[in-house]
């Protein structure tokens, strides 16, 4: 098994992800609204181009070293922060980042 952590990619994923489906789950409405507002109107400055992630995936699939985790340079800081803070501390930091809690 290989884990690929691509990070932010300059695609229209965020825009398409905000489309409402007729089968929405009301229990998720509040957090969905918070996430939509957190990213609304923000440019994708600094996001990685899809070809950079494609190269990361290609490298991962063709690497015979036995390595199982591949993180883009966009994610490296987050991985280090999670290792430093531990799971609970990391989740608190993410809550604060996204929701101001």
């Amino acid at each position: 098994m290989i884990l690929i952590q691509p990070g932010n990619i300059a695609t229209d994923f965020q825009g398409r992800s905000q489309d409402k489906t007729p089968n929405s789950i009301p229990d998720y409405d509040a957090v969905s609204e918070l996430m939509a507002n957190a990213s609304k109107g923000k440019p994708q400055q600094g996001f990685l181009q899809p070809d950079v992630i494609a190269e990361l995936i290609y490298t991962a699939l063709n690497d015979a070293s036995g390595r199982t985790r591949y993180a883009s340079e966009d994610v490296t800081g987050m991985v280090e922060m999670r290792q430093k803070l531990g799971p609970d501390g990391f989740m608190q930091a993410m809550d604060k980042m996204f929701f101001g809690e």
Side-chain angles (χ1 to χ4, degrees):
M1 180 177 359
I2 297 172
L3 172 65
I4 298 174
Q5 298 171 282
N8 294 310
I9 307 169
T11 66
D12 188 35
F13 176 79
Q14 186 67 26
R16 289 189 320 266
S17 295
Q18 299 304 318
D19 292 342
K20 296 278 185 180
T21 64
N23 300 325
S24 67
I25 301 171
D27 290 345
Y28 294 113
D29 286 347
V31 74
S32 294
E33 188 70 24
L34 284 169
M35 292 299 289
N37 290 334
S39 60
K40 190 179 288 183
K42 292 185 180 175
Q44 294 183 343
Q45 294 174 343
F47 282 19
L48 297 173
Q49 294 300 309
D51 60 326
V52 172
I53 304 307
E55 182 66 31
L56 179 67
I57 293 168
Y58 180 84
T59 299
L61 294 175
N62 290 287
D63 187 354
S65 71
R67 184 174 158 196
T68 59
R69 183 178 296 238
Y70 296 80
S72 73
E73 64 262 22
D74 188 48
V75 176
T76 304
M78 297 288 272
V79 170
E80 291 170 356
M81 184 170 76
R82 187 177 192 287
Q83 290 171 341
K84 180 180 176 183
L85 298 176
D88 293 338
F90 181 75
M91 289 308 298
Q92 289 174 352
M94 291 296 98
D95 284 346
K96 187 173 183 176
M97 181 187 307
F98 285 103
F99 307 119
E101 297 176 4

